[in-house]
Amino acid sequence: MSARFVAPILTGLFMLALWEGLVRAMAIPPYVLPGPILVAKTLVSDWGTLWPALVVTLSITLQALLAAVLVGVLLALLFSLSRWIEFSLFPYAIILQVTPIVAIAPLIIAWVDDVNVSLLICAWLVAFFPILSNTVLGLRSVDRNLLDLFELYGASRWRVLVDLRLPAALPYFLGGLRISGGLALIGAVVAEFVAGSGGRESGLAYRILESGYQLKIPRMFAALVLISLAGIAIYLLLSLLSHLLLRRWHESALAEE
Amino acid sequence: MQLVGIRDVSKVFANGIQALGSASLDIAAGEFLSVLGPSGCGKSTLLRLIAGLAEPTAGTIAWPQGRPDLGFVFQEPTLMPWATALGNVALPLKLRGVARSEREARAAEALAGVGLRGFERSYPRELSGGMKMRVSIARALVTAPKLLLMDEPFAALDEITRRRLNTDLLELWQRTHFTAVFVTHSVFESVFLSQRIVVMSARPGRVRSELAIEAPYPRSEAFGTSADYAALCRLTSAQLSEAMAT
Ligand SMILES: Nc1ncnc2c1ncn2[C@@H]1O[C@H](COP(=O)(O)OP(=O)(O)OP(=O)(O)O)[C@@H](O)[C@H]1O
Ligand SMILES: [Mg+2]
């Protein structure tokens, strides 16, 4: 059990040590590749600029994720109500999904006046599809016999939805949510890059660009580290949520004895 | 007294498969009836037609005294994994709008009735195959149905569990006087349980022959090892072979 934590931590420490050692041994200048100690120092010294940027990026990410959940689940419910709606809309959802965000981001940024709103739309576009497709699948993956059972006792469509389809779809939805959490962050960062100048406030991606122009490479690495940490934190939080909701009944959350 | 009359019922599915071909069967109120037939002969289809979960392609199903309350036990436990044993058993009552406290009390009682007192808060994942089947039976019984339809409920269980559940089921039936329709492909099980056995032919299924099992209840282990029982099994088995040959 503890090997699950110890092993990756040891690997990480080893890689960091190797990195620091190489940078020192080969005397690589910091504007080419800063060592991890310098990056950590920069993270602390530049906290004043990095922290607000992190807050901006995270808030766009979370808003986009929330919007993705709302729209994804609502669309999935609509699809489950009517095949016609599904046939009419699903292909377009797929088109949105397969179109690279970097290609549409400039358009969205040009069309929408408020930069923050356009960033939000970009992040949302990337994030909503896994939630939609997983929830659609989940709402459909209902035991046929259970459906018969509900019919036998004269359950209304509403009861079937609330007591049967939604709980059956929950594990699928949570799986989609975990993917979407990471995608929302990626979407937000990519859109910030494309937007170049941040809006009123600037996110982490803008700080990376800016540090690049000013050759403040350690700060660039520090911002990168923050993005990774944010991504990991989002994944862990959503996994925890999933675990809490499913641990009593779902096979995926079965503890090994 | 006749509970349901099934007349010349056939069922053809959308894909052209004819599951039932002109099956006729009368079921009397209060009897324990077994339906015996080879795999794929339309036993489940027949049960679903009786339950009103599907419509016959031709023929009629008549309820002279009106359609009674019915319970259905599926081949698999068919429990909601996200609900506790109590929640699963209370489901039929919930769908009928019974208040929470009352339905939980009645569900707990039904669980105790199948020997699962103390497992109210367990999730299906935490129960053994036999226990899940008991929960499923408790759920079918919680509305005190007049007619209990069972589709090979014990087919997936081991011999020991099945024997115990058979005995429990008979005891329950004697106590509560419901009508039981028990689908099985086990000759031994049908003879042990029922007052009457109908044997179905291979697909398209129809009722081939009928057999009365007159041994008195309660039926115990002793009946299961008696010479009478063995003779009846042989007879039933012969009829089944005949039905399959035609
Ligand atoms: N929904 C369906 N659509 C098409 N064909 C079906 C459907 N349900 C059952 N069948 C077919 O009808 C036939 C009878 O099926 P049924 O499930 O009633 O058999 P059964 O006697 O219960 O078999 P078993 O003992 O294996 O459970 C089978 O050939 C099956 O393939
Ligand atoms: Mg069957």
Side-chain angles (χ1 to χ4, degrees), chain B residues 13-15 17-19 37-46 75 151-152 183 185 203:
Chain B
F13 284 106
N15 58 4
I17 289 185
Q18 180 166 22
S39 177
C41 74
K43 303 181 298 295
S44 298
T45 306
L46 180 67
Q75 197 158 340
D151 191 359
E152 305 189 32
V183 164
H185 54 225
R203 191 164 57 92

PDB file of all heavy atoms in Angstrom, chain B residues 13-15 17-19 37-46 75 151-152 183 185 203, ligand 1:
ATOM      1  N   PHE B  13     -40.932 -12.053 -32.015  1.00  0.00           N
ATOM      2  CA  PHE B  13     -40.166 -10.834 -31.749  1.00  0.00           C
ATOM      3  C   PHE B  13     -39.891 -10.067 -33.041  1.00  0.00           C
ATOM      4  O   PHE B  13     -40.056 -10.602 -34.143  1.00  0.00           O
ATOM      5  CB  PHE B  13     -38.850 -11.167 -31.052  1.00  0.00           C
ATOM      6  CG  PHE B  13     -39.033 -11.506 -29.608  1.00  0.00           C
ATOM      7  CD1 PHE B  13     -38.940 -12.815 -29.169  1.00  0.00           C
ATOM      8  CD2 PHE B  13     -39.332 -10.511 -28.685  1.00  0.00           C
ATOM      9  CE1 PHE B  13     -39.126 -13.135 -27.838  1.00  0.00           C
ATOM     10  CE2 PHE B  13     -39.518 -10.825 -27.347  1.00  0.00           C
ATOM     11  CZ  PHE B  13     -39.418 -12.138 -26.926  1.00  0.00           C
ATOM     12  N   ALA B  14     -39.476  -8.834 -32.892  1.00  0.00           N
ATOM     13  CA  ALA B  14     -39.243  -7.963 -34.049  1.00  0.00           C
ATOM     14  C   ALA B  14     -38.239  -8.577 -35.022  1.00  0.00           C
ATOM     15  O   ALA B  14     -38.334  -8.370 -36.236  1.00  0.00           O
ATOM     16  CB  ALA B  14     -38.753  -6.595 -33.582  1.00  0.00           C
ATOM     17  N   ASN B  15     -37.299  -9.356 -34.482  1.00  0.00           N
ATOM     18  CA  ASN B  15     -36.296  -9.951 -35.372  1.00  0.00           C
ATOM     19  C   ASN B  15     -36.788 -11.244 -36.030  1.00  0.00           C
ATOM     20  O   ASN B  15     -36.006 -11.977 -36.636  1.00  0.00           O
ATOM     21  CB  ASN B  15     -34.996 -10.203 -34.604  1.00  0.00           C
ATOM     22  CG  ASN B  15     -35.216 -11.114 -33.403  1.00  0.00           C
ATOM     23  OD1 ASN B  15     -36.312 -11.620 -33.190  1.00  0.00           O
ATOM     24  ND2 ASN B  15     -34.162 -11.323 -32.631  1.00  0.00           N
ATOM     25  N   ILE B  17     -37.952 -13.973 -34.627  1.00  0.00           N
ATOM     26  CA  ILE B  17     -37.886 -15.198 -33.819  1.00  0.00           C
ATOM     27  C   ILE B  17     -39.231 -15.447 -33.151  1.00  0.00           C
ATOM     28  O   ILE B  17     -39.782 -14.558 -32.504  1.00  0.00           O
ATOM     29  CB  ILE B  17     -36.787 -15.092 -32.743  1.00  0.00           C
ATOM     30  CG1 ILE B  17     -35.424 -15.158 -33.408  1.00  0.00           C
ATOM     31  CG2 ILE B  17     -36.936 -16.195 -31.701  1.00  0.00           C
ATOM     32  CD1 ILE B  17     -34.274 -15.192 -32.436  1.00  0.00           C
ATOM     33  N   GLN B  18     -39.768 -16.647 -33.346  1.00  0.00           N
ATOM     34  CA  GLN B  18     -41.010 -16.985 -32.666  1.00  0.00           C
ATOM     35  C   GLN B  18     -40.666 -17.710 -31.380  1.00  0.00           C
ATOM     36  O   GLN B  18     -40.200 -18.855 -31.402  1.00  0.00           O
ATOM     37  CB  GLN B  18     -41.907 -17.846 -33.553  1.00  0.00           C
ATOM     38  CG  GLN B  18     -43.200 -18.200 -32.831  1.00  0.00           C
ATOM     39  CD  GLN B  18     -44.263 -18.754 -33.757  1.00  0.00           C
ATOM     40  OE1 GLN B  18     -43.962 -19.252 -34.823  1.00  0.00           O
ATOM     41  NE2 GLN B  18     -45.520 -18.645 -33.336  1.00  0.00           N
ATOM     42  N   ALA B  19     -40.908 -17.041 -30.259  1.00  0.00           N
ATOM     43  CA  ALA B  19     -40.563 -17.627 -28.971  1.00  0.00           C
ATOM     44  C   ALA B  19     -41.660 -18.564 -28.486  1.00  0.00           C
ATOM     45  O   ALA B  19     -41.379 -19.629 -27.948  1.00  0.00           O
ATOM     46  CB  ALA B  19     -40.321 -16.520 -27.954  1.00  0.00           C
ATOM     47  N   GLY B  37     -38.895 -26.558 -19.014  1.00  0.00           N
ATOM     48  CA  GLY B  37     -38.666 -26.629 -20.458  1.00  0.00           C
ATOM     49  C   GLY B  37     -37.215 -26.384 -20.787  1.00  0.00           C
ATOM     50  O   GLY B  37     -36.471 -25.819 -19.981  1.00  0.00           O
ATOM     51  N   PRO B  38     -36.807 -26.819 -21.985  1.00  0.00           N
ATOM     52  CA  PRO B  38     -35.412 -26.640 -22.375  1.00  0.00           C
ATOM     53  C   PRO B  38     -35.056 -25.167 -22.548  1.00  0.00           C
ATOM     54  O   PRO B  38     -35.951 -24.330 -22.717  1.00  0.00           O
ATOM     55  CB  PRO B  38     -35.317 -27.383 -23.709  1.00  0.00           C
ATOM     56  CG  PRO B  38     -36.715 -27.426 -24.230  1.00  0.00           C
ATOM     57  CD  PRO B  38     -37.603 -27.470 -23.037  1.00  0.00           C
ATOM     58  N   SER B  39     -33.775 -24.874 -22.526  1.00  0.00           N
ATOM     59  CA  SER B  39     -33.322 -23.489 -22.656  1.00  0.00           C
ATOM     60  C   SER B  39     -33.775 -22.902 -23.989  1.00  0.00           C
ATOM     61  O   SER B  39     -33.714 -23.558 -25.019  1.00  0.00           O
ATOM     62  CB  SER B  39     -31.800 -23.455 -22.555  1.00  0.00           C
ATOM     63  OG  SER B  39     -31.357 -22.141 -22.739  1.00  0.00           O
ATOM     64  N   GLY B  40     -34.281 -21.680 -23.930  1.00  0.00           N
ATOM     65  CA  GLY B  40     -34.671 -20.995 -25.159  1.00  0.00           C
ATOM     66  C   GLY B  40     -36.062 -21.340 -25.656  1.00  0.00           C
ATOM     67  O   GLY B  40     -36.441 -20.945 -26.755  1.00  0.00           O
ATOM     68  N   CYS B  41     -36.845 -22.050 -24.848  1.00  0.00           N
ATOM     69  CA  CYS B  41     -38.166 -22.467 -25.328  1.00  0.00           C
ATOM     70  C   CYS B  41     -39.229 -21.407 -25.070  1.00  0.00           C
ATOM     71  O   CYS B  41     -40.382 -21.575 -25.425  1.00  0.00           O
ATOM     72  CB  CYS B  41     -38.582 -23.787 -24.685  1.00  0.00           C
ATOM     73  SG  CYS B  41     -39.070 -23.626 -22.968  1.00  0.00           S
ATOM     74  N   GLY B  42     -38.861 -20.308 -24.444  1.00  0.00           N
ATOM     75  CA  GLY B  42     -39.826 -19.225 -24.264  1.00  0.00           C
ATOM     76  C   GLY B  42     -40.411 -19.131 -22.868  1.00  0.00           C
ATOM     77  O   GLY B  42     -41.428 -18.479 -22.662  1.00  0.00           O
ATOM     78  N   LYS B  43     -39.745 -19.719 -21.886  1.00  0.00           N
ATOM     79  CA  LYS B  43     -40.261 -19.665 -20.524  1.00  0.00           C
ATOM     80  C   LYS B  43     -40.250 -18.234 -19.987  1.00  0.00           C
ATOM     81  O   LYS B  43     -41.242 -17.757 -19.439  1.00  0.00           O
ATOM     82  CB  LYS B  43     -39.430 -20.571 -19.598  1.00  0.00           C
ATOM     83  CG  LYS B  43     -39.354 -22.019 -20.042  1.00  0.00           C
ATOM     84  CD  LYS B  43     -38.554 -22.877 -19.094  1.00  0.00           C
ATOM     85  CE  LYS B  43     -37.096 -22.505 -18.942  1.00  0.00           C
ATOM     86  NZ  LYS B  43     -36.263 -22.671 -20.138  1.00  0.00           N
ATOM     87  N   SER B  44     -39.119 -17.577 -20.160  1.00  0.00           N
ATOM     88  CA  SER B  44     -39.035 -16.194 -19.683  1.00  0.00           C
ATOM     89  C   SER B  44     -40.043 -15.322 -20.415  1.00  0.00           C
ATOM     90  O   SER B  44     -40.682 -14.452 -19.812  1.00  0.00           O
ATOM     91  CB  SER B  44     -37.635 -15.631 -19.910  1.00  0.00           C
ATOM     92  OG  SER B  44     -36.699 -16.371 -19.184  1.00  0.00           O
ATOM     93  N   THR B  45     -40.187 -15.567 -21.716  1.00  0.00           N
ATOM     94  CA  THR B  45     -41.140 -14.795 -22.506  1.00  0.00           C
ATOM     95  C   THR B  45     -42.551 -14.978 -21.954  1.00  0.00           C
ATOM     96  O   THR B  45     -43.302 -14.003 -21.791  1.00  0.00           O
ATOM     97  CB  THR B  45     -41.078 -15.246 -23.972  1.00  0.00           C
ATOM     98  OG1 THR B  45     -39.721 -15.157 -24.412  1.00  0.00           O
ATOM     99  CG2 THR B  45     -41.957 -14.387 -24.841  1.00  0.00           C
ATOM    100  N   LEU B  46     -42.902 -16.211 -21.639  1.00  0.00           N
ATOM    101  CA  LEU B  46     -44.224 -16.490 -21.092  1.00  0.00           C
ATOM    102  C   LEU B  46     -44.446 -15.720 -19.794  1.00  0.00           C
ATOM    103  O   LEU B  46     -45.490 -15.096 -19.581  1.00  0.00           O
ATOM    104  CB  LEU B  46     -44.365 -18.002 -20.847  1.00  0.00           C
ATOM    105  CG  LEU B  46     -45.698 -18.464 -20.267  1.00  0.00           C
ATOM    106  CD1 LEU B  46     -46.822 -18.254 -21.264  1.00  0.00           C
ATOM    107  CD2 LEU B  46     -45.631 -19.935 -19.858  1.00  0.00           C
ATOM    108  N   GLN B  75     -34.077 -13.962 -13.054  1.00  0.00           N
ATOM    109  CA  GLN B  75     -33.054 -15.002 -13.056  1.00  0.00           C
ATOM    110  C   GLN B  75     -31.810 -14.553 -12.271  1.00  0.00           C
ATOM    111  O   GLN B  75     -31.199 -15.332 -11.572  1.00  0.00           O
ATOM    112  CB  GLN B  75     -32.699 -15.320 -14.507  1.00  0.00           C
ATOM    113  CG  GLN B  75     -31.984 -16.623 -14.696  1.00  0.00           C
ATOM    114  CD  GLN B  75     -32.127 -17.141 -16.120  1.00  0.00           C
ATOM    115  OE1 GLN B  75     -33.015 -16.745 -16.848  1.00  0.00           O
ATOM    116  NE2 GLN B  75     -31.244 -18.028 -16.511  1.00  0.00           N
ATOM    117  N   ASP B 151     -38.461 -16.505 -12.265  1.00  0.00           N
ATOM    118  CA  ASP B 151     -37.790 -16.960 -13.486  1.00  0.00           C
ATOM    119  C   ASP B 151     -36.453 -17.607 -13.134  1.00  0.00           C
ATOM    120  O   ASP B 151     -35.451 -16.912 -12.994  1.00  0.00           O
ATOM    121  CB  ASP B 151     -37.595 -15.773 -14.438  1.00  0.00           C
ATOM    122  CG  ASP B 151     -37.144 -16.230 -15.811  1.00  0.00           C
ATOM    123  OD1 ASP B 151     -36.961 -17.440 -16.013  1.00  0.00           O
ATOM    124  OD2 ASP B 151     -36.982 -15.351 -16.685  1.00  0.00           O
ATOM    125  N   GLU B 152     -36.432 -18.891 -12.993  1.00  0.00           N
ATOM    126  CA  GLU B 152     -35.229 -19.643 -12.611  1.00  0.00           C
ATOM    127  C   GLU B 152     -34.450 -18.916 -11.525  1.00  0.00           C
ATOM    128  O   GLU B 152     -33.268 -18.624 -11.688  1.00  0.00           O
ATOM    129  CB  GLU B 152     -34.310 -19.843 -13.824  1.00  0.00           C
ATOM    130  CG  GLU B 152     -35.014 -20.492 -14.992  1.00  0.00           C
ATOM    131  CD  GLU B 152     -34.050 -20.889 -16.103  1.00  0.00           C
ATOM    132  OE1 GLU B 152     -32.900 -21.229 -15.768  1.00  0.00           O
ATOM    133  OE2 GLU B 152     -34.446 -20.878 -17.269  1.00  0.00           O
ATOM    134  N   VAL B 183     -40.475 -20.898 -12.860  1.00  0.00           N
ATOM    135  CA  VAL B 183     -39.843 -21.372 -14.090  1.00  0.00           C
ATOM    136  C   VAL B 183     -38.512 -22.019 -13.758  1.00  0.00           C
ATOM    137  O   VAL B 183     -37.744 -21.487 -12.946  1.00  0.00           O
ATOM    138  CB  VAL B 183     -39.620 -20.199 -15.066  1.00  0.00           C
ATOM    139  CG1 VAL B 183     -38.644 -20.583 -16.156  1.00  0.00           C
ATOM    140  CG2 VAL B 183     -40.936 -19.758 -15.663  1.00  0.00           C
ATOM    141  N   HIS B 185     -35.371 -25.171 -15.260  1.00  0.00           N
ATOM    142  CA  HIS B 185     -35.055 -26.259 -16.172  1.00  0.00           C
ATOM    143  C   HIS B 185     -34.536 -27.468 -15.403  1.00  0.00           C
ATOM    144  O   HIS B 185     -33.958 -28.371 -15.979  1.00  0.00           O
ATOM    145  CB  HIS B 185     -34.104 -25.818 -17.291  1.00  0.00           C
ATOM    146  CG  HIS B 185     -32.855 -25.172 -16.790  1.00  0.00           C
ATOM    147  ND1 HIS B 185     -32.352 -24.024 -17.342  1.00  0.00           N
ATOM    148  CD2 HIS B 185     -32.040 -25.489 -15.784  1.00  0.00           C
ATOM    149  CE1 HIS B 185     -31.268 -23.678 -16.691  1.00  0.00           C
ATOM    150  NE2 HIS B 185     -31.054 -24.545 -15.746  1.00  0.00           N
ATOM    151  N   ARG B 203     -38.516 -24.456 -28.766  1.00  0.00           N
ATOM    152  CA  ARG B 203     -39.007 -23.287 -29.480  1.00  0.00           C
ATOM    153  C   ARG B 203     -39.584 -23.653 -30.854  1.00  0.00           C
ATOM    154  O   ARG B 203     -38.963 -24.422 -31.574  1.00  0.00           O
ATOM    155  CB  ARG B 203     -37.842 -22.309 -29.648  1.00  0.00           C
ATOM    156  CG  ARG B 203     -38.212 -20.953 -30.130  1.00  0.00           C
ATOM    157  CD  ARG B 203     -37.060 -20.015 -29.869  1.00  0.00           C
ATOM    158  NE  ARG B 203     -35.838 -20.508 -30.525  1.00  0.00           N
ATOM    159  CZ  ARG B 203     -35.495 -20.139 -31.746  1.00  0.00           C
ATOM    160  NH1 ARG B 203     -36.217 -19.302 -32.393  1.00  0.00           N
ATOM    161  NH2 ARG B 203     -34.412 -20.612 -32.290  1.00  0.00           N
TER     162      ARG B 203
HETATM  163  N1  LIG C   1     -36.319  -9.255 -26.727  1.00  0.00           N
HETATM  164  C1  LIG C   1     -36.099 -10.272 -27.582  1.00  0.00           C
HETATM  165  N2  LIG C   1     -35.895 -10.025 -28.888  1.00  0.00           N
HETATM  166  C2  LIG C   1     -35.705 -11.048 -29.747  1.00  0.00           C
HETATM  167  N3  LIG C   1     -35.676 -12.341 -29.420  1.00  0.00           N
HETATM  168  C3  LIG C   1     -35.861 -12.656 -28.132  1.00  0.00           C
HETATM  169  C4  LIG C   1     -36.086 -11.644 -27.140  1.00  0.00           C
HETATM  170  N4  LIG C   1     -36.248 -12.246 -25.956  1.00  0.00           N
HETATM  171  C5  LIG C   1     -36.114 -13.563 -26.191  1.00  0.00           C
HETATM  172  N5  LIG C   1     -35.899 -13.823 -27.489  1.00  0.00           N
HETATM  173  C6  LIG C   1     -35.769 -15.146 -28.113  1.00  0.00           C
HETATM  174  O1  LIG C   1     -36.900 -15.901 -27.799  1.00  0.00           O
HETATM  175  C7  LIG C   1     -36.546 -17.225 -27.473  1.00  0.00           C
HETATM  176  C8  LIG C   1     -37.090 -17.594 -26.111  1.00  0.00           C
HETATM  177  O2  LIG C   1     -36.428 -16.804 -25.149  1.00  0.00           O
HETATM  178  P1  LIG C   1     -36.712 -16.945 -23.590  1.00  0.00           P
HETATM  179  O3  LIG C   1     -35.832 -16.009 -22.905  1.00  0.00           O
HETATM  180  O4  LIG C   1     -38.177 -16.825 -23.354  1.00  0.00           O
HETATM  181  O5  LIG C   1     -36.246 -18.451 -23.350  1.00  0.00           O
HETATM  182  P2  LIG C   1     -36.162 -19.250 -21.991  1.00  0.00           P
HETATM  183  O6  LIG C   1     -37.017 -20.445 -22.138  1.00  0.00           O
HETATM  184  O7  LIG C   1     -36.438 -18.378 -20.851  1.00  0.00           O
HETATM  185  O8  LIG C   1     -34.651 -19.720 -22.008  1.00  0.00           O
HETATM  186  P3  LIG C   1     -33.640 -19.923 -20.767  1.00  0.00           P
HETATM  187  O9  LIG C   1     -34.037 -21.166 -20.065  1.00  0.00           O
HETATM  188  O10 LIG C   1     -32.307 -20.072 -21.430  1.00  0.00           O
HETATM  189  O11 LIG C   1     -33.731 -18.705 -19.915  1.00  0.00           O
HETATM  190  C9  LIG C   1     -35.051 -17.317 -27.575  1.00  0.00           C
HETATM  191  O12 LIG C   1     -34.721 -17.939 -28.786  1.00  0.00           O
HETATM  192  C10 LIG C   1     -34.580 -15.891 -27.584  1.00  0.00           C
HETATM  193  O13 LIG C   1     -33.483 -15.750 -28.446  1.00  0.00           O
END
